[in-house]
Amino acid sequence: MASVWEEAPDNGRPVSPESVLGGGASGGTLSRADWSPRGVFGFNSHDSRSRPFNLLRSQVLKIMQNNNWRIVGVTSATPNVGKSFVASNLAASLSRIPSIHTLLFDFDLRRGSIAKTFEIEEGFGIESFLLGKINSLGDAAREVADTRMTIFPAFTTEHSSAELLAGSRMRTLVQAMKNLPDNMVCICDLPPAFANDDSAIVLREIDAFIFVVEEGKNTVKQVRDAIDLLQPTPCLGTVLNRYRGGFGGDDYGFGYGTNRGYEAYYS
């Protein structure tokens, strides 16, 4: 396959998604496993824990379609508040819509967790693509069997994450993502906003972001300062994770109220 990296994304010529993302997931296929012990509930519509993500996906998809957006990032102010949890479950839930194919990208190059969540063995990842070790990201793609979801994991690299994310290969990748067909949605797991400037670098290129907040851990000032830092990229909305006042009293509330009365819908 011919390399596209000598072509700048702003040279007037369209970037073909096939030339960058590949025509298939040559990185392999993941057998559908029970990932619920790892916090992934979005694939199973009979699991009541998928409910907040089903509600979230409808709102996200509506806003994306109204604005002709293709790429949405998921970030937070600080680490360990559930951004990867939200990104993984939102992507899984979106993939259950028959007309949608969901691509999940892990752009947290320093502490990526998508591979661990989905039990992906180390191999080619997004960092391999950005470093030029592979010419097509299809070599890093993993299809999830019996779904309409493709995962692009990232593995730890000693190279500067900021330089990779600000490089021409990243810009070409984003252009390819924007040129995908209308039935494809890209969900990007991003680093925390205050960890480094990686998230801000990526958000300069993509359409919008979802901001994850953990009750009792993130302060109002942190949220405001982080969203200000990430401007002018639009904030599609915020997700309140570990909301103690809702969702059946467990740790996965998202401000949609309690789960009481809904049990029959998930039996």
Side-chain angles (χ1 to χ4, degrees):
M1 179 178 294
S3 173
V4 299
W5 304 129
E6 298 306 318
E7 300 179 12
D10 56 355
N11 62 4
R13 288 177 288 177
V15 177
S16 164
E18 292 76 17
S19 66
V20 178
L21 298 172
S26 52
T29 300
L30 301 177
S31 298
R32 271 291 302 276
D34 179 13
W35 288 305
S36 59
R38 296 176 178 270
V40 180
F41 317 115
F43 289 119
N44 185 1
S45 62
H46 293 288
D47 189 328
S48 63
R49 291 169 294 184
S50 70
R51 175 176 169 262
F53 302 106
N54 298 338
L55 296 170
L56 180 63
R57 75 178 175 191
S58 297
Q59 294 301 312
V60 168
L61 197 58
K62 178 181 178 180
I63 296 171
M64 292 183 71
Q65 291 175 339
N66 286 345
N67 289 277
N68 196 28
W69 288 340
R70 188 83 69 249
I71 314 169
V72 169
V74 181
T75 188
S76 57
T78 57
N80 303 317
V81 298
K83 67 174 182 60
S84 299
F85 166 73
V86 172
S88 298
N89 279 286
L90 174 59
S93 184
L94 281 166
S95 76
R96 298 204 329 266
I97 299 176
S99 60
I100 297 295
H101 190 105
T102 306
L103 309 181
L104 175 61
F105 294 83
D106 191 347
F107 286 130
D108 192 344
L109 301 185
R110 299 191 187 197
R111 295 183 60 185
S113 61
I114 297 299
K116 182 178 180 180
T117 296
F118 291 96
E119 302 175 288
I120 299 174
E121 294 184 2
E122 187 163 352
F124 289 134
I126 289 177
E127 78 294 335
S128 305
F129 172 80
L130 297 178
L131 285 165
K133 294 180 179 179
I134 54 177
N135 284 333
S136 168
L137 200 57
D139 294 333
R142 275 73 165 184
E143 297 281 2
V144 181
D146 303 320
T147 73
R148 289 168 294 277
M149 179 166 158
T150 306
I151 300 175
F152 298 89
F155 301 100
T156 304
T157 175
E158 295 180 356
H159 291 78
S160 168
S161 57
E163 290 181 6
L164 292 177
L165 294 171
S168 61
R169 297 189 178 197
M170 180 65 181
R171 293 195 301 273
T172 303
L173 168 56
V174 172
Q175 287 298 317
M177 293 161 71
K178 289 184 176 180
N179 290 335
L180 286 165
D182 291 342
N183 68 329
M184 304 193 86
V185 172
C186 301
I187 302 297
C188 306
D189 185 17
L190 305 179
F194 292 146
N196 46 59
D197 64 345
D198 289 6
S199 194
I201 289 171
V202 176
L203 285 172
R204 289 204 302 260
E205 307 292 335
I206 68 176
D207 296 318
F209 67 95
I210 296 168
F211 197 79
V212 179
V213 179
E214 180 174 332
E215 185 193 34
K217 188 168 185 177
N218 291 130
T219 66
V220 172
K221 185 177 188 306
Q222 284 178 333
V223 174
R224 289 175 177 170
D225 289 351
I227 292 178
D228 286 345
L229 178 68
L230 301 175
Q231 289 183 345
T233 306
C235 179
L236 188 151
T238 58
V239 172
L240 181 59
N241 190 25
R242 300 187 188 279
Y243 174 46
R244 301 306 193 276
F247 201 57
D250 65 15
D251 284 345
Y252 301 109
F254 293 86
Y256 291 110
T258 68
N259 193 35
R260 297 183 182 89
Y262 291 100
E263 291 84 354
Y265 289 94
Y266 297 94
S267 60

PDB file of all heavy atoms in Angstrom, residues 242-264:
ATOM      1  N   ARG A 242     -20.195   8.138  38.753  1.00  0.00           N
ATOM      2  CA  ARG A 242     -20.261   7.746  40.166  1.00  0.00           C
ATOM      3  C   ARG A 242     -21.187   8.667  40.963  1.00  0.00           C
ATOM      4  O   ARG A 242     -20.860   9.116  42.057  1.00  0.00           O
ATOM      5  CB  ARG A 242     -18.862   7.726  40.792  1.00  0.00           C
ATOM      6  CG  ARG A 242     -17.922   6.765  40.101  1.00  0.00           C
ATOM      7  CD  ARG A 242     -16.606   6.644  40.831  1.00  0.00           C
ATOM      8  NE  ARG A 242     -15.642   5.873  40.065  1.00  0.00           N
ATOM      9  CZ  ARG A 242     -15.602   4.552  40.023  1.00  0.00           C
ATOM     10  NH1 ARG A 242     -16.470   3.837  40.702  1.00  0.00           N
ATOM     11  NH2 ARG A 242     -14.691   3.936  39.299  1.00  0.00           N
ATOM     12  N   TYR A 243     -22.338   8.925  40.348  1.00  0.00           N
ATOM     13  CA  TYR A 243     -23.342   9.779  40.985  1.00  0.00           C
ATOM     14  C   TYR A 243     -24.068   8.980  42.057  1.00  0.00           C
ATOM     15  O   TYR A 243     -24.850   8.091  41.762  1.00  0.00           O
ATOM     16  CB  TYR A 243     -24.324  10.292  39.929  1.00  0.00           C
ATOM     17  CG  TYR A 243     -25.495  11.066  40.452  1.00  0.00           C
ATOM     18  CD1 TYR A 243     -25.321  12.069  41.409  1.00  0.00           C
ATOM     19  CD2 TYR A 243     -26.781  10.823  39.970  1.00  0.00           C
ATOM     20  CE1 TYR A 243     -26.398  12.791  41.871  1.00  0.00           C
ATOM     21  CE2 TYR A 243     -27.859  11.539  40.426  1.00  0.00           C
ATOM     22  CZ  TYR A 243     -27.668  12.529  41.381  1.00  0.00           C
ATOM     23  OH  TYR A 243     -28.735  13.244  41.842  1.00  0.00           O
ATOM     24  N   ARG A 244     -23.805   9.252  43.336  1.00  0.00           N
ATOM     25  CA  ARG A 244     -24.335   8.445  44.422  1.00  0.00           C
ATOM     26  C   ARG A 244     -25.852   8.570  44.562  1.00  0.00           C
ATOM     27  O   ARG A 244     -26.502   7.722  45.141  1.00  0.00           O
ATOM     28  CB  ARG A 244     -23.685   8.850  45.757  1.00  0.00           C
ATOM     29  CG  ARG A 244     -22.169   8.705  45.799  1.00  0.00           C
ATOM     30  CD  ARG A 244     -21.713   7.313  45.412  1.00  0.00           C
ATOM     31  NE  ARG A 244     -20.319   7.080  45.747  1.00  0.00           N
ATOM     32  CZ  ARG A 244     -19.301   7.437  44.991  1.00  0.00           C
ATOM     33  NH1 ARG A 244     -19.515   8.053  43.845  1.00  0.00           N
ATOM     34  NH2 ARG A 244     -18.058   7.179  45.356  1.00  0.00           N
ATOM     35  N   GLY A 245     -26.410   9.639  44.014  1.00  0.00           N
ATOM     36  CA  GLY A 245     -27.842   9.850  44.192  1.00  0.00           C
ATOM     37  C   GLY A 245     -28.702   9.138  43.181  1.00  0.00           C
ATOM     38  O   GLY A 245     -29.925   9.235  43.235  1.00  0.00           O
ATOM     39  N   GLY A 246     -28.125   8.425  42.215  1.00  0.00           N
ATOM     40  CA  GLY A 246     -28.952   7.846  41.167  1.00  0.00           C
ATOM     41  C   GLY A 246     -28.458   6.517  40.681  1.00  0.00           C
ATOM     42  O   GLY A 246     -27.468   5.969  41.151  1.00  0.00           O
ATOM     43  N   PHE A 247     -29.183   5.993  39.718  1.00  0.00           N
ATOM     44  CA  PHE A 247     -28.912   4.730  39.046  1.00  0.00           C
ATOM     45  C   PHE A 247     -28.755   3.563  40.000  1.00  0.00           C
ATOM     46  O   PHE A 247     -27.737   2.902  40.083  1.00  0.00           O
ATOM     47  CB  PHE A 247     -27.675   4.833  38.141  1.00  0.00           C
ATOM     48  CG  PHE A 247     -27.675   3.754  37.096  1.00  0.00           C
ATOM     49  CD1 PHE A 247     -28.739   3.644  36.231  1.00  0.00           C
ATOM     50  CD2 PHE A 247     -26.641   2.842  37.003  1.00  0.00           C
ATOM     51  CE1 PHE A 247     -28.766   2.653  35.276  1.00  0.00           C
ATOM     52  CE2 PHE A 247     -26.664   1.840  36.049  1.00  0.00           C
ATOM     53  CZ  PHE A 247     -27.727   1.748  35.181  1.00  0.00           C
ATOM     54  N   GLY A 248     -29.819   3.327  40.771  1.00  0.00           N
ATOM     55  CA  GLY A 248     -29.908   2.128  41.583  1.00  0.00           C
ATOM     56  C   GLY A 248     -28.931   2.068  42.738  1.00  0.00           C
ATOM     57  O   GLY A 248     -28.716   1.027  43.322  1.00  0.00           O
ATOM     58  N   GLY A 249     -28.297   3.199  43.075  1.00  0.00           N
ATOM     59  CA  GLY A 249     -27.406   3.219  44.217  1.00  0.00           C
ATOM     60  C   GLY A 249     -26.025   2.664  43.941  1.00  0.00           C
ATOM     61  O   GLY A 249     -25.222   2.541  44.856  1.00  0.00           O
ATOM     62  N   ASP A 250     -25.712   2.291  42.689  1.00  0.00           N
ATOM     63  CA  ASP A 250     -24.372   1.780  42.422  1.00  0.00           C
ATOM     64  C   ASP A 250     -23.469   2.919  42.000  1.00  0.00           C
ATOM     65  O   ASP A 250     -23.799   4.088  42.151  1.00  0.00           O
ATOM     66  CB  ASP A 250     -24.395   0.650  41.375  1.00  0.00           C
ATOM     67  CG  ASP A 250     -24.853   1.133  40.006  1.00  0.00           C
ATOM     68  OD1 ASP A 250     -24.876   2.356  39.774  1.00  0.00           O
ATOM     69  OD2 ASP A 250     -25.173   0.271  39.159  1.00  0.00           O
ATOM     70  N   ASP A 251     -22.294   2.597  41.462  1.00  0.00           N
ATOM     71  CA  ASP A 251     -21.300   3.624  41.170  1.00  0.00           C
ATOM     72  C   ASP A 251     -21.336   4.112  39.725  1.00  0.00           C
ATOM     73  O   ASP A 251     -20.393   4.732  39.258  1.00  0.00           O
ATOM     74  CB  ASP A 251     -19.888   3.076  41.446  1.00  0.00           C
ATOM     75  CG  ASP A 251     -19.600   3.021  42.927  1.00  0.00           C
ATOM     76  OD1 ASP A 251     -20.344   3.657  43.676  1.00  0.00           O
ATOM     77  OD2 ASP A 251     -18.634   2.341  43.316  1.00  0.00           O
ATOM     78  N   TYR A 252     -22.413   3.832  39.000  1.00  0.00           N
ATOM     79  CA  TYR A 252     -22.417   4.173  37.592  1.00  0.00           C
ATOM     80  C   TYR A 252     -23.588   5.071  37.229  1.00  0.00           C
ATOM     81  O   TYR A 252     -24.232   4.893  36.215  1.00  0.00           O
ATOM     82  CB  TYR A 252     -22.431   2.893  36.737  1.00  0.00           C
ATOM     83  CG  TYR A 252     -21.243   2.019  37.020  1.00  0.00           C
ATOM     84  CD1 TYR A 252     -21.382   0.814  37.692  1.00  0.00           C
ATOM     85  CD2 TYR A 252     -19.965   2.425  36.666  1.00  0.00           C
ATOM     86  CE1 TYR A 252     -20.277   0.030  37.980  1.00  0.00           C
ATOM     87  CE2 TYR A 252     -18.861   1.654  36.954  1.00  0.00           C
ATOM     88  CZ  TYR A 252     -19.025   0.448  37.601  1.00  0.00           C
ATOM     89  OH  TYR A 252     -17.930  -0.327  37.891  1.00  0.00           O
ATOM     90  N   GLY A 253     -23.900   6.026  38.095  1.00  0.00           N
ATOM     91  CA  GLY A 253     -24.982   6.947  37.806  1.00  0.00           C
ATOM     92  C   GLY A 253     -24.528   8.058  36.878  1.00  0.00           C
ATOM     93  O   GLY A 253     -23.398   8.512  36.929  1.00  0.00           O
ATOM     94  N   PHE A 254     -25.442   8.544  36.040  1.00  0.00           N
ATOM     95  CA  PHE A 254     -25.106   9.610  35.110  1.00  0.00           C
ATOM     96  C   PHE A 254     -26.153  10.718  35.136  1.00  0.00           C
ATOM     97  O   PHE A 254     -26.377  11.401  34.156  1.00  0.00           O
ATOM     98  CB  PHE A 254     -24.978   9.046  33.680  1.00  0.00           C
ATOM     99  CG  PHE A 254     -23.813   8.128  33.551  1.00  0.00           C
ATOM    100  CD1 PHE A 254     -23.938   6.800  33.879  1.00  0.00           C
ATOM    101  CD2 PHE A 254     -22.579   8.603  33.153  1.00  0.00           C
ATOM    102  CE1 PHE A 254     -22.857   5.946  33.790  1.00  0.00           C
ATOM    103  CE2 PHE A 254     -21.495   7.753  33.055  1.00  0.00           C
ATOM    104  CZ  PHE A 254     -21.635   6.419  33.380  1.00  0.00           C
ATOM    105  N   GLY A 255     -26.816  10.898  36.282  1.00  0.00           N
ATOM    106  CA  GLY A 255     -27.766  11.988  36.385  1.00  0.00           C
ATOM    107  C   GLY A 255     -29.090  11.707  35.704  1.00  0.00           C
ATOM    108  O   GLY A 255     -29.859  12.622  35.456  1.00  0.00           O
ATOM    109  N   TYR A 256     -29.395  10.442  35.386  1.00  0.00           N
ATOM    110  CA  TYR A 256     -30.649  10.112  34.735  1.00  0.00           C
ATOM    111  C   TYR A 256     -31.687   9.605  35.722  1.00  0.00           C
ATOM    112  O   TYR A 256     -32.702   9.061  35.339  1.00  0.00           O
ATOM    113  CB  TYR A 256     -30.425   9.048  33.650  1.00  0.00           C
ATOM    114  CG  TYR A 256     -29.660   9.564  32.470  1.00  0.00           C
ATOM    115  CD1 TYR A 256     -28.367   9.137  32.222  1.00  0.00           C
ATOM    116  CD2 TYR A 256     -30.228  10.498  31.617  1.00  0.00           C
ATOM    117  CE1 TYR A 256     -27.670   9.616  31.132  1.00  0.00           C
ATOM    118  CE2 TYR A 256     -29.533  10.983  30.527  1.00  0.00           C
ATOM    119  CZ  TYR A 256     -28.254  10.535  30.284  1.00  0.00           C
ATOM    120  OH  TYR A 256     -27.555  11.017  29.208  1.00  0.00           O
ATOM    121  N   GLY A 257     -31.425   9.722  36.998  1.00  0.00           N
ATOM    122  CA  GLY A 257     -32.377   9.260  37.994  1.00  0.00           C
ATOM    123  C   GLY A 257     -32.105   7.828  38.402  1.00  0.00           C
ATOM    124  O   GLY A 257     -31.170   7.191  37.949  1.00  0.00           O
ATOM    125  N   THR A 258     -32.942   7.309  39.276  1.00  0.00           N
ATOM    126  CA  THR A 258     -32.713   5.966  39.800  1.00  0.00           C
ATOM    127  C   THR A 258     -33.188   4.911  38.826  1.00  0.00           C
ATOM    128  O   THR A 258     -33.911   5.180  37.877  1.00  0.00           O
ATOM    129  CB  THR A 258     -33.448   5.782  41.136  1.00  0.00           C
ATOM    130  OG1 THR A 258     -34.845   5.795  40.883  1.00  0.00           O
ATOM    131  CG2 THR A 258     -33.087   6.878  42.116  1.00  0.00           C
ATOM    132  N   ASN A 259     -32.802   3.682  39.107  1.00  0.00           N
ATOM    133  CA  ASN A 259     -33.149   2.554  38.256  1.00  0.00           C
ATOM    134  C   ASN A 259     -34.426   1.864  38.719  1.00  0.00           C
ATOM    135  O   ASN A 259     -34.861   0.896  38.121  1.00  0.00           O
ATOM    136  CB  ASN A 259     -31.991   1.549  38.257  1.00  0.00           C
ATOM    137  CG  ASN A 259     -32.137   0.515  37.160  1.00  0.00           C
ATOM    138  OD1 ASN A 259     -32.619   0.814  36.087  1.00  0.00           O
ATOM    139  ND2 ASN A 259     -31.712  -0.699  37.450  1.00  0.00           N
ATOM    140  N   ARG A 260     -35.029   2.316  39.809  1.00  0.00           N
ATOM    141  CA  ARG A 260     -36.205   1.649  40.338  1.00  0.00           C
ATOM    142  C   ARG A 260     -37.357   1.723  39.328  1.00  0.00           C
ATOM    143  O   ARG A 260     -37.650   2.762  38.775  1.00  0.00           O
ATOM    144  CB  ARG A 260     -36.622   2.281  41.659  1.00  0.00           C
ATOM    145  CG  ARG A 260     -35.570   2.126  42.761  1.00  0.00           C
ATOM    146  CD  ARG A 260     -36.050   2.709  44.068  1.00  0.00           C
ATOM    147  NE  ARG A 260     -35.030   2.592  45.094  1.00  0.00           N
ATOM    148  CZ  ARG A 260     -34.098   3.504  45.310  1.00  0.00           C
ATOM    149  NH1 ARG A 260     -34.060   4.592  44.573  1.00  0.00           N
ATOM    150  NH2 ARG A 260     -33.199   3.335  46.265  1.00  0.00           N
ATOM    151  N   GLY A 261     -38.023   0.594  39.124  1.00  0.00           N
ATOM    152  CA  GLY A 261     -39.138   0.571  38.195  1.00  0.00           C
ATOM    153  C   GLY A 261     -38.777   0.153  36.802  1.00  0.00           C
ATOM    154  O   GLY A 261     -39.645  -0.071  35.962  1.00  0.00           O
ATOM    155  N   TYR A 262     -37.462   0.051  36.503  1.00  0.00           N
ATOM    156  CA  TYR A 262     -37.015  -0.296  35.154  1.00  0.00           C
ATOM    157  C   TYR A 262     -36.577  -1.748  35.029  1.00  0.00           C
ATOM    158  O   TYR A 262     -36.212  -2.187  33.953  1.00  0.00           O
ATOM    159  CB  TYR A 262     -35.859   0.601  34.727  1.00  0.00           C
ATOM    160  CG  TYR A 262     -36.255   2.040  34.507  1.00  0.00           C
ATOM    161  CD1 TYR A 262     -36.007   2.989  35.493  1.00  0.00           C
ATOM    162  CD2 TYR A 262     -36.865   2.443  33.336  1.00  0.00           C
ATOM    163  CE1 TYR A 262     -36.360   4.319  35.309  1.00  0.00           C
ATOM    164  CE2 TYR A 262     -37.226   3.759  33.139  1.00  0.00           C
ATOM    165  CZ  TYR A 262     -36.972   4.687  34.135  1.00  0.00           C
ATOM    166  OH  TYR A 262     -37.324   5.998  33.948  1.00  0.00           O
ATOM    167  N   GLU A 263     -36.623  -2.496  36.149  1.00  0.00           N
ATOM    168  CA  GLU A 263     -36.058  -3.849  36.126  1.00  0.00           C
ATOM    169  C   GLU A 263     -36.684  -4.724  35.054  1.00  0.00           C
ATOM    170  O   GLU A 263     -36.003  -5.524  34.403  1.00  0.00           O
ATOM    171  CB  GLU A 263     -36.223  -4.517  37.502  1.00  0.00           C
ATOM    172  CG  GLU A 263     -35.360  -3.897  38.604  1.00  0.00           C
ATOM    173  CD  GLU A 263     -35.999  -2.691  39.236  1.00  0.00           C
ATOM    174  OE1 GLU A 263     -37.067  -2.248  38.746  1.00  0.00           O
ATOM    175  OE2 GLU A 263     -35.458  -2.182  40.239  1.00  0.00           O
ATOM    176  N   ALA A 264     -37.979  -4.588  34.832  1.00  0.00           N
ATOM    177  CA  ALA A 264     -38.692  -5.453  33.887  1.00  0.00           C
ATOM    178  C   ALA A 264     -38.203  -5.266  32.455  1.00  0.00           C
ATOM    179  O   ALA A 264     -38.302  -6.175  31.626  1.00  0.00           O
ATOM    180  CB  ALA A 264     -40.193  -5.191  33.956  1.00  0.00           C
TER     181      ALA A 264
END
